Amino acid sequence: MKALPLNQLYKACVLKDLPFKTTRQLDPLAEIVGQNRAQEAVRFALSMPHGGYNVYAVGRNGLGKRTMMLRYLEHHADEEHRIHDWCYVANFDDPRVPRMLRLPAGEGANLKQDMEKLMSRLVKMIPQTFDSDNFLERAEQLKNEYGKKQEDELEKVANQAKRKKVSLTLTTPGGYRLVAMNGDEPHTAETFAQLTEAQRDKFEDDINKLEKKLRQAVRKIADWEQEYAEKQQALNQETLESISGHQIDELTARYESLPDVVAYLEAVRKDLAENLDIFLDDNEEQAAIAYASLDKKMPRRYLVNLLVHQKTDEVPLVVEDNPTYHNLFGYVENVTFKGTVFTDYSLIRPGSLHRANGGYLLMDAIKVLEQPFVWDGLKRALRGKSIMINSLERELTLSGTISLEPEAIPLDVKIVLFGDRETWMLLQEYDPEFAELFRVTADFENEMRRTPESQVLYAKFIASLVHEKSLLHCDRKAVARIIEYSSRTAEHQARLSLHAADIANLLRESDYWARQSGARLIHADHVEQALTSARYRSSRIRDQFYDAIRDGSTLVTTQGRRTGQVNALSVLSTGGFEFGLSNRVTATCYYGDGDVMDIERDVKLGGNIHSKGVMILSAWLSSRFARKDPMHLSASLTFEQNYGEVDGDSASVAELCALVSALSDIPVRQDLAITGSMNQFGEIQPIGGANEKVEGFFETCVIKGLTGTQGVIIPATNVQNLMLDSRVVNAVREGQFHIYSVNTVEEAIELLLGKPAGRADRKGNYPRGTVFATIAKRLADMREHERQEHEAHSGAAKDSTIH
């Protein structure tokens, strides 16, 4: 069997397929590279006008889902979306329920400024006007008129009382008393008792009549007082109207297209007259509360709380990195003033849903699910299409303080959640509302096909990263090297990795080395230096394993032949860095009932998949050598010097070859290592980590000494995954190392044992000189020996019986 040619070990990027000199000549991508399926899902979700078409973006971390989604939305956001400013203003009828105002984008800030200008004028002009001589004269005139009427009416009653020798006196404010007089002095109890009964009766009768007249007079005074208050209010309103009326009229005309704003301005006009004391009293409380809440010093009753201000006409695009309950739904702040907790509508603060209203809100699914009450609140908002600002303390019933219940704001937003597939499947399984609210799944690819056209597209993707990160541009050879690295990351010659984080990190580190050397462009050697540096930083554990091979602590044989001993290959991962190692697999056989004992499984170091692989090779052995008669050879398998758990079936072909060697007593080549799994028909199946495994055995051979015959056997289906390190490729070019591919276990046995495995004829016999013929003969001899022993034992038993 021939080793693989060089062109199958590494697929280089042909420079003529890249029609540019540097990435400076390429336009950055506005699209999502290689994500046509996800892009179509997003396009569909954004264009659907109905509710529930929110997006769950599925893909592993590092694919650049958020970056790609932001880039797509920035270029393809629906410009027909109507965006608004959102304000809260006082509800003069019910202060606990602040009113919500919806205004066109930009108008909210204008209204806030207009109201602040109006209030700043009124704060100055109202005290001045109400303290002016003109107003004070008119107010004094009204007061004097009322006082004159009151005095005249009371004087009339007092004169009538005086004629009847009764005195009318003022007791308390608003209270009057009629007293019988004894000359110029009021009667005492003694003097009144000395009067005749007729005199006393006359006094009582006169006082009763006077009381009726007094009550009538008091009622008139009360009516006049009410009339005076109305006239005073009218005067105040007239004076106030002369100050503020034309200004409010101007605002009403300016916002006439917004009925809610006009209604609010009219409510302000009405409320101003009823709350003049706000402007007339020098109230330090307002200033203190304004200072505590970081607001301007002005009447808080007429502030406009601009909750959301859209500065441009662009559709809102909000990324919420910390989706707590308050950050998402907004909250009401409190101010402590003189030991009292105070709040009002001006202290309502917006959340991400408010800012994203009319546009798009992007969040991480796991972060949303981790926060208490957020997931239920988000579903409630999406179902009801409105945002309610509820205090979390009220949700938890921890606070007994007075709280506000602001009017709900209509919600029109598309939610994009980023998450992995496991979270998506859990939500599908356990939350029946999830599928109704997130009807669109954007499934992001991990890889894309590698063609000349896609390589150019990938180069534009690299150019996009260069622009975004403000890095040095790459020349064509550097782009080619990055594309080759991408194929290596994808573990496929015809694929390119879409793991944007890896490529971005490589570009950043290449940029660093380029700047260190004073270059103006990133060249291929800078990319290579970045890869070498990253590998060196992460390879401490790998080098410790190699040191153990170098000093003989780990027993590895890379020359000669050994019976029942095969070099298998495994991959170890240490925090994102993977490397290959050779592992010695050994097999021994002995007289028994044909069982294969897996030592790893029996001592509970073997995983389920590894145990499955051993069972499959046991079944294959039985199908070859125990079709009609039982096998009288049992065997045991183990990974030597392994003290941790073993899982995976990629060593099952190596284990089979070790067993075949032990059963046939034919030694195995130690200069070859093998990897691959098998099925019950003896077909070799692909495995993962092919590049790392080949490179791991190559490093082992370099440590032990290259002989020129060493190599690795891999499944034929893994040839397309080879993107080997340049050191391995160069060693193959120089004939110092070899890579073989096999399709069946028979081919692997022939390579490792140096003899044909053998194919059975119709009678089940194998050709002479083959490995399987040797095993079959050994088993047949054992069966014959057992038969003879059985007959001899039966004969001896029969003779004993006759005797």
Side-chain angles (χ1 to χ4, degrees), residues 272-305:
L272 280 171
E274 297 173 358
N275 292 276
L276 269 175
D277 55 330
I278 293 175
F279 298 90
L280 297 177
D281 295 341
D282 187 13
N283 193 345
E284 293 183 2
E285 182 176 326
Q286 290 286 335
I289 293 174
Y291 177 78
S293 57
L294 307 179
D295 280 335
K296 294 181 179 179
K297 180 187 175 183
M298 59 181 292
R300 303 183 64 81
R301 190 175 181 84
Y302 307 109
L303 283 174
V304 172
N305 183 1

Side-chain angles (χ1 to χ4, degrees), residues 545-612:
F545 278 101
Y546 288 163
D547 287 342
I549 295 173
R550 190 175 286 108
D551 63 23
S553 301
T554 299
L555 301 179
V556 179
T557 308
T558 58
Q559 299 178 36
R561 292 172 176 267
R562 293 282 180 87
T563 301
Q565 179 175 301
V566 175
N567 286 319
L569 297 172
S570 61
V571 174
L572 273 71
S573 178
T574 57
F577 178 70
E578 294 184 344
F579 59 93
L581 278 179
S582 58
N583 298 94
R584 178 180 288 180
V585 173
T586 59
T588 57
C589 62
Y590 45 88
Y591 185 82
D593 54 5
D595 289 337
V596 176
M597 183 178 73
D598 178 11
I599 293 176
E600 309 298 330
R601 180 184 62 203
D602 290 352
V603 298
K604 295 183 172 55
L605 285 178
N608 294 333
I609 299 175
H610 176 262
S611 299
K612 178 183 176 183

Side-chain angles (χ1 to χ4, degrees), residues 39-57:
Q39 185 172 308
E40 172 57 25
V42 173
R43 187 204 63 76
F44 170 73
L46 300 190
S47 60
M48 280 296 286
H50 307 289
Y53 285 87
N54 299 293
V55 181
Y56 189 100

Side-chain angles (χ1 to χ4, degrees), residues 111-138:
L111 177 63
K112 180 180 177 67
Q113 291 175 1
D114 290 340
M115 287 300 294
E116 286 179 355
K117 288 178 182 177
L118 174 63
M119 289 301 124
S120 61
R121 289 174 186 167
L122 295 182
V123 165
K124 293 177 181 178
M125 294 181 67
I126 287 177
Q128 291 175 358
T129 305
F130 280 77
D131 200 32
S132 65
D133 293 342
N134 184 31
F135 175 79
L136 291 176
E137 285 176 6
R138 295 181 64 184

Side-chain angles (χ1 to χ4, degrees), residues 512-550:
Y512 168 79
W513 291 112
R515 292 181 191 273
Q516 287 287 305
S517 63
R520 295 185 178 180
L521 289 173
I522 296 175
H523 301 295
D525 57 339
H526 299 135
V527 178
E528 199 64 55
Q529 192 173 4
L531 290 171
T532 303
S533 174
R535 191 161 49 242
Y536 176 74
R537 294 195 304 269
S538 305
S539 59
R540 187 182 68 83
I541 304 299
R542 181 200 66 178
D543 292 345
Q544 284 185 342
F545 278 101
Y546 288 163
D547 287 342
I549 295 173
R550 190 175 286 108

